[in-house]
Amino acid sequence: MIFQKVNALKGEITIPGDKSISHRAIMLGSLAEGVTEISNFLQGADCLSTMECFRNMGVSIENKNGLVTIHGNGLHGLKQPKDTLDVGNSGTTTRLMSGILAAQNFTCTLNGDASIQKRPMGRIITPLSQMGADILSVKDNGCAPLKIIGTPLHGIHYKSPVASAQVKSSILLAGLFADGETSVTEPYVSRNHTELMFRYFGVDISTKETTATVTPADKLVGQKIIVPGDISSAAYFIAAGLMVPNSELLIKNVGINPTRDGILRVCEAMGASISYENKQEISGEPTADLVVKTSSLKGTTIGGSIIPTLIDEIPIIAILACFAEGTTVIKDAQELKVKESNRIDVMVENLTKMGADITATDDGMIIHGGKPLHGAEIDSKLDHRIAMSFAIAGLCSEGETKILGAECVNISFPNFYQDLEDLVVK
Ligand code: S3P
């Protein structure tokens, strides 16, 4: 894909469903009794991987006419899959499903693509093993493939060294099946979609400061869920609306859960013009429409408790920082190294090629903004968030920006390029 400078972006866009929430809706719907109906489910490859895994464990799931209908098997009704469960590119599928599979009365194996086979799974193997789980990294390298031998689990209190919703959720899902209460304390609060959806399905879950505690469940009851738009997908349009001159965008149906809205707080600190309309709550999650206008931006410092609330938005924040006056410092973000790619190295390498003044640090990056960027050949490393970030950078840079592996946006935002094109003022 090739991108060039555009003069303006105008119009409205409705953001597709939230990836994290779509995964969780399939998982809880499969474990519930009765029917769960999901509207605005994200039809991205990651969420379809989760759907396929549960189908392969005997759950009947229809996906047609914009509605996903799950005929739940109940908490103890999953069946042993015939083959290895294919998680594709999805860390969320791997880590959250491991918590569920650890407690089943069968053995199975999880595996995925080259990227997933490099991502750290020790972070879930350790706590789940403390609960009594029997999980083997088949190549003994702490990564997938994972062989999971289902077994009865005990409740634990786990103090997680990382603020990770995948780690927290994996343990809480295992806790549904444990013999007593399970709690997870994290250094900072990570996204709380699991906790909110547990409550929505009737599970007894409480939260206090950075600790979430679940009581083992007797049963979950099928629900109707409307998935809010994904703020991580909205982020590219927010950034584009702020950076491209003469722009005004109405970005509809954006989830603004406070454990996910760090990007909005950072944009505000950088001097962005963003206003909220039509605030409401859908399926227990807050949403709003956002009006974004071209703004002159200034650098900022990001670190500490805000990091988990914007972890997936750091690539696009790095792009914003290049177009802001002054210095932006991103710290406490070492988790970026273990995402779909090493997002510190990949951002620094590609932005340097485009002429940015950017330096990698141990836990983030330092960007001196205000230098005009020029087009370059960008290797996305098949990381969807890298491809989308550089598409937006390309709209504001001199010359041609060519993105290699651009089709990987399919993971979280299949219609991304078309939606972007539709907003360009010709
Ligand atoms: C996710 C949690 C985050 C995020 C990922 C989705 C989730 O990962 O980066 O895209 O759905 O729980 P970590 O928990 O590894 O930070």
Side-chain angles (χ1 to χ4, degrees):
M1 295 282 300
I2 293 181
F3 293 86
Q4 279 177 327
K5 208 169 207 170
V6 295
N7 296 325
L9 297 173
K10 293 245 188 278
E12 62 175 65
I13 168 173
T14 301
I15 296 298
D18 186 279
K19 181 156 82 66
S20 293
I21 297 174
S22 296
H23 282 297
R24 286 156 172 81
I26 295 282
M27 294 182 189
L28 296 196
S30 296
L31 296 176
E33 291 177 12
V35 174
T36 289
E37 279 183 1
I38 312 169
S39 36
N40 202 36
F41 177 80
L42 174 64
Q43 303 283 343
D46 268 10
C47 300
L48 295 174
S49 293
T50 294
M51 183 185 284
E52 216 38 48
C53 286
F54 280 89
R55 281 180 172 152
N56 288 329
M57 290 190 285
V59 184
S60 158
I61 307 177
E62 291 145 41
N63 182 14
K64 55 180 184 217
N65 307 328
L67 193 68
V68 172
T69 308
I70 307 178
H71 303 271
N73 282 26
L75 263 183
H76 303 284
L78 296 180
K79 307 275 188 305
Q80 182 169 29
K82 289 197 182 70
D83 296 312
T84 296
L85 292 170
D86 182 3
V87 300
N89 186 245
S90 176
T92 308
T93 310
T94 315
R95 297 198 177 107
L96 271 61
M97 249 182 21
S98 295
I100 296 171
L101 294 172
Q104 303 305 308
N105 58 6
F106 55 76
T107 297
C108 64
T109 303
L110 292 183
N111 201 6
D113 68 7
S115 151
I116 215 74
Q117 291 183 38
K118 286 197 217 133
R119 298 185 64 189
M121 294 300 150
R123 52 179 57 198
I124 54 146
I125 296 175
T126 299
L128 293 174
S129 300
Q130 286 175 19
M131 297 178 80
D134 194 350
I135 305 181
L136 195 77
S137 161
V138 173
K139 295 185 182 159
D140 203 18
N141 59 357
C143 302
L146 299 179
K147 181 174 175 190
I148 304 182
I149 303 160
T151 185
L153 301 179
H154 317 295
I156 57 165
H157 181 180
Y158 187 64
K159 200 161 179 284
S160 177
V162 277
S164 157
Q166 293 182 358
V167 170
K168 171 175 65 177
S169 303
S170 181
I171 300 166
L172 294 176
L173 283 160
L176 290 176
F177 302 92
D179 62 2
E181 254 182 25
T182 295
S183 49
V184 184
T185 301
E186 8 178 36
Y188 299 116
V189 177
S190 64
R191 65 189 68 190
N192 66 355
H193 305 302
T194 300
E195 295 90 307
L196 294 181
M197 205 179 285
F198 268 14
R199 206 161 284 146
Y200 198 68
F201 274 81
V203 175
D204 182 4
I205 173 111
S206 62
T207 53
K208 193 168 174 242
E209 290 157 13
T210 65
T211 300
T213 304
V214 65
T215 304
D218 289 330
K219 66 170 186 177
L220 276 65
V221 183
Q223 300 294 332
K224 282 192 165 50
I225 297 172
I226 306 171
V227 180
D230 197 326
I231 190 168
S232 298
S233 298
Y236 305 101
F237 292 88
I238 296 170
L242 294 174
M243 293 189 304
V244 174
N246 315 308
S247 296
E248 179 166 350
L249 297 178
L250 172 61
I251 307 175
K252 292 175 81 167
N253 183 35
V254 183
I256 52 164
N257 178 317
T259 65
R260 290 287 298 284
D261 71 350
I263 174 82
L264 296 173
R265 287 180 272 146
V266 166
C267 286
E268 208 168 287
M270 294 177 89
S273 164
I274 303 179
S275 56
Y276 296 64
E277 289 178 355
N278 193 23
K279 278 193 181 181
Q280 49 182 313
E281 195 175 294
I282 56 171
S283 307
E285 292 275 352
T287 66
D289 300 340
L290 307 178
V291 179
V292 175
K293 294 183 187 158
T294 309
S295 305
S296 44
L297 301 173
K298 55 181 195 296
T300 187
T301 293
I302 307 165
S305 63
I306 201 169
I307 293 295
T309 73
L310 48 66
I311 189 71
D312 291 339
E313 287 66 77
I314 293 178
I316 190 66
I317 290 173
I319 306 283
L320 278 168
C322 292
F323 290 89
E325 282 305 320
T327 300
T328 293
V329 180
I330 301 171
K331 52 188 183 184
D332 305 321
Q334 49 278 73
E335 276 295 297
L336 292 177
K337 294 179 183 171
V338 291
K339 294 295 178 189
E340 287 84 327
S341 67
N342 178 333
R343 289 182 177 160
I344 297 179
D345 287 355
V346 177
M347 287 309 296
V348 171
E349 193 181 307
N350 283 319
L351 274 172
T352 303
K353 273 190 186 174
M354 294 182 79
D357 181 347
I358 178 168
T359 317
T361 60
D362 260 359
D363 63 349
M365 39 201 136
I366 299 171
I367 299 157
H368 300 290
K371 266 180 84 183
L373 300 191
H374 54 76
E377 188 171 279
I378 303 300
D379 186 350
S380 71
K381 305 278 181 196
L382 299 182
D383 181 334
H384 54 134
R385 305 222 180 270
I386 300 295
M388 292 188 274
S389 297
F390 282 95
I392 302 302
L395 301 183
C396 316
S397 304
E398 288 305 330
E400 280 188 355
T401 301
K402 183 175 177 189
I403 300 182
L404 306 179
E407 69 285 352
C408 64
V409 302
N410 212 24
I411 291 294
S412 64
F413 201 156
N415 218 34
F416 175 74
Y417 298 117
Q418 188 59 53
D419 285 354
L420 189 56
E421 173 74 27
D422 289 348
L423 299 171
V424 175
V425 177
K426 299 269 162 33

